Amino acid sequence: MAAYKYPDFIRQAYHYSFDIAVGPGEPAQNSGIYRCDGCGCEIIAGNGESLPPQSHHRHKPGEGDIRWRLIVATD
Ligand SMILES: [Zn+2]
């Protein structure tokens, strides 16, 4: 799980971009930290960079497909 120490440097936002989960290899629509909905692993991607491919990691049965969701956006 992503963590931070100083709350003055991060704020809550309600933008719809946090509600979208995209598949492996798709372009990141924002720079920031992305989390896999299936297993919880986290990665960093820059705006327009490809999110990690299907071969990035394996899921256990029951974790479903790899779907990347923005959890922390950077300016
Ligand atoms: Zn995963």
Side-chain angles (χ1 to χ4, degrees):
M1 178 176 286
Y4 65 94
K5 182 173 182 179
Y6 300 107
D8 288 350
F9 301 150
I10 196 164
R11 65 178 169 82
Q12 189 163 22
Y14 298 94
H15 195 268
Y16 71 89
S17 58
F18 295 98
D19 301 326
I20 300 167
V22 298
E26 294 196 32
Q29 298 298 309
N30 296 85
S31 296
I33 301 172
Y34 286 77
R35 179 183 183 276
C36 176
D37 276 352
C39 69
C41 83
E42 297 160 348
I43 58 98
I44 296 170
N47 187 18
E49 290 180 1
S50 294
L51 293 164
Q54 185 71 38
S55 60
H56 179 260
H57 64 283
R58 290 181 181 269
H59 277 180
K60 298 172 189 167
E63 289 182 332
D65 295 333
I66 295 174
R67 302 290 292 172
W68 296 111
R69 180 183 303 273
L70 181 69
I71 60 167
V72 178
T74 57
D75 288 337

